[in-house]
Amino acid sequence: DLDIGDQGEVIIGNWFGSDNSSSIHLEPESYDVILADYLIGAMDGFSPYQQDLMIPKLARYLKPGGRLYIVGLEPIPDKVGTPDDPANIICQVRRIRDACILLAGHRCYREYPLQWMERQIEKSTASLKLLHSSTFPILYRHQTIVNQINVGRSKFPLFSSPELVDSMKAILDDLEAQSLEATSKSLNGRIRLGFDYVITAEKKKNVIDGSDDGNVCDADVVVPTTVSSSGVGSESGDNGVQGAVEMDR
């Protein structure tokens, strides 16, 4: 019991089933604001290859003049800078964590870059207007990196052999030690790499939506609300990066 009955309701269901039918029944053009909170990045774990269909689907439920906020994470690269750049420990952890997920027979999440998201808004639907995007650089603490290492460790029971578990355990233990060393040498014990972003789009007025015929994920969450919002986060001046508020993880 979430005890939010006086504020709204939580709707749980599948955007689409195997026969393209949806168990989520919402009225078109019903919401002033829709927040897609890391939704697109999570889809590859549940409904791969259909991410481009999600934004037009969400747009269908916005009222004319309503706002769509898309929150996402810029993908972590395979490597950065020089080999001794401390941020490379985060890149290595991401690779090994994903390897553990795959070895367990599961699918990894797949984050999408800010520019890809913006293109989907501009090209995939004529009903949305891209207003602006804000980025928020990320600072990683040692414990944050260890949390991702632990995701890999949690997959050990699903590995095919004890030998594979032992080998991967040694690699992850070594990465944890490297993370501690790298963060201890960094300013305030934090390593800066990448950014989160928030995209703001608006439903154009006098747009007639087409039929809802996309295929989308079966285990994602979107939070539509009828409470208007003027924005998500604040911007901190023109320094080449909109909304350069460092996200401390």
Side-chain angles (χ1 to χ4, degrees), residues 35-42 69-76 110-117 133-138 140 194-200 232 247 249:
L35 171 63
D37 187 20
Y38 300 100
L39 170 65
I40 309 298
Y69 295 100
I70 300 174
V71 182
L73 169 68
E74 189 73 7
I76 296 174
R110 181 183 177 89
E111 306 295 344
Y112 281 79
L114 171 62
Q115 291 184 346
W116 186 91
M117 291 287 195
S133 301
S134 300
T135 59
F136 304 87
I138 301 172
Y140 290 86
F195 57 87
D196 290 306
Y197 56 81
V198 179
I199 300 172
T200 305
V232 177
M247 305 295 288
R249 294 186 174 180

Side-chain angles (χ1 to χ4, degrees), residues 166-216:
D166 291 342
S167 296
M168 194 61 78
K169 181 180 183 300
I171 293 173
L172 290 176
D173 289 348
D174 182 58
L175 286 175
E176 182 170 348
Q178 291 182 49
S179 168
L180 181 60
E181 179 181 3
T183 52
S184 65
K185 294 179 180 179
S186 299
L187 180 65
N188 298 321
R190 288 155 172 78
I191 300 173
R192 177 169 169 166
L193 177 66
F195 57 87
D196 290 306
Y197 56 81
V198 179
I199 300 172
T200 305
E202 184 176 86
K203 178 76 168 284
K204 296 178 182 178
K205 297 181 180 180
N206 301 321
V207 171
I208 300 176
D209 282 320
S211 61
D212 187 13
D213 57 0
N215 276 332
V216 193

Side-chain angles (χ1 to χ4, degrees), residues 100-159:
C100 289
I101 293 172
L102 293 171
L103 287 169
H106 296 161
R107 293 190 64 88
C108 304
Y109 283 10
R110 181 183 177 89
E111 306 295 344
Y112 281 79
L114 171 62
Q115 291 184 346
W116 186 91
M117 291 287 195
E118 291 175 334
R119 288 199 302 270
Q120 301 313 301
I121 293 172
E122 293 173 336
K123 295 180 180 180
S124 68
T125 174
S127 66
L128 288 175
K129 175 183 178 181
L130 177 64
L131 296 183
H132 64 81
S133 301
S134 300
T135 59
F136 304 87
I138 301 172
L139 298 176
Y140 290 86
R141 298 176 290 115
H142 172 61
Q143 186 57 51
T144 305
I145 299 172
V146 171
N147 289 345
Q148 295 305 307
I149 291 174
N150 287 339
V151 171
R153 290 171 172 152
S154 72
K155 304 299 180 180
F156 288 169
L158 299 173
F159 281 14

Side-chain angles (χ1 to χ4, degrees), residues 78-89:
D78 291 334
K79 60 182 179 179
V80 293
T82 59
D84 59 351
D85 190 319
N88 274 309
I89 185 62

